[in-house]
Amino acid sequence: MSLYVDGNHRAFRELFDRYGPRLLRAVRRQIPSEDDATEIVQQTFLQLHRARHDFQQGRMLRPWIFTICFNLRREHFRRRARRPEAPLELDGRTDPSISPPDWTRAERAVQLRAAIARLPESQRRVIELHWFDGLPFKEVSQIVGASLTAVKVRAHRGYGRLRTMLEAVDAKEEALLEGNLSSSATILSPSTE
């Protein structure tokens, strides 16, 4: 970043190559549209370019660039809430075709995403940055603007809630399965009349 601030334009390319894929992964977790996610990442680098002289030498770049990106993602959701999308109507002739998924893995991913979405925002954000983006807690604390201890507590509580929610889902599925098996057993058992 120091080289780029000093006018080295190849340094910008290096920054883009290094942080672009990470930012795109982080944005894609909440924005399924590839075009929208790519636009947010491009806007992030445009903001980085515009604010390059505001960057304080000696500070870490990753928390700064992630903060820019997450602010743009938040603004995307605000704009989207203001103008609802028109529904997509398929005519049957050009419906998209999909290969059959691996249901157990796909269902587990859906359950995990649903559980993460139910976490409080402060815990969800810390878990996403630490777990999905692989950022150390020190950088997460800089991005979210909280102390290192507070970030670790949020992560610990969030992981505990996730575990509880997923165990409840597993227990419910087992109960349903056992209920189906026991009702099938009564149907299949011979009558004692």
Side-chain angles (χ1 to χ4, degrees):
M1 186 63 183
S2 299
L3 291 173
Y4 180 58
V5 170
D6 290 339
N8 184 335
H9 295 288
R10 287 193 318 197
F12 182 80
R13 184 67 194 171
E14 176 66 29
L15 291 172
F16 187 82
D17 291 344
R18 182 178 299 176
Y19 291 104
R22 293 176 187 177
L23 293 171
L24 187 59
R25 276 193 309 272
V27 172
R28 285 298 309 269
R29 276 197 305 276
Q30 292 184 343
I31 299 177
S33 166
E34 181 76 30
D35 291 338
D36 289 346
T38 302
E39 182 178 333
I40 289 172
V41 171
Q42 289 173 347
Q43 286 294 320
T44 299
F45 282 97
L46 179 61
Q47 292 290 336
L48 177 130
H49 169 72
R50 290 178 177 161
R52 68 189 179 278
H53 296 293
D54 296 334
F55 182 74
Q56 298 171 356
Q57 298 295 332
R59 300 220 41 198
M60 295 183 67
L61 175 65
R62 188 164 35 176
W64 190 62
I65 195 169
F66 269 85
T67 301
I68 293 170
C69 183
F70 290 152
N71 287 339
L72 289 168
R73 182 182 65 188
R74 190 173 332 155
E75 182 58 33
H76 168 80
F77 284 123
R78 285 185 191 137
R79 279 194 317 268
R80 190 170 168 210
R82 285 186 221 131
R83 59 169 187 199
E85 250 182 53
L88 175 65
E89 295 181 24
L90 300 175
D91 61 4
R93 293 176 289 158
T94 59
D95 290 353
S97 62
I98 347 176
S99 58
D102 174 8
W103 286 111
T104 54
R105 184 176 178 155
E107 286 175 15
R108 199 60 177 170
V110 167
Q111 291 168 351
L112 178 61
R113 289 193 189 286
I116 290 173
R118 291 190 350 232
L119 289 175
E121 171 68 23
S122 61
Q123 293 173 1
R124 181 176 60 244
R125 192 163 181 211
V126 166
I127 287 173
E128 287 175 344
L129 290 169
H130 179 68
W131 191 17
F132 293 124
D133 296 330
L135 298 178
F137 282 125
K138 184 176 181 180
E139 290 183 28
V140 173
S141 71
Q142 292 172 345
I143 291 171
V144 300
S147 70
L148 180 60
T149 304
V151 165
K152 288 181 178 181
V153 168
R154 289 177 191 175
H156 177 73
R157 289 180 180 163
Y159 287 132
R161 281 186 176 183
L162 280 176
R163 186 179 313 108
T164 302
M165 285 188 268
L166 293 174
E167 286 171 355
V169 168
D170 290 344
K172 186 184 285 187
E173 287 178 355
E174 284 181 33
L176 287 173
L177 183 61
E178 288 174 8
N180 287 342
L181 290 177
S182 64
S183 65
S184 299
T186 57
I187 293 170
L188 296 175
S189 64
S191 175
T192 56
E193 296 176 3

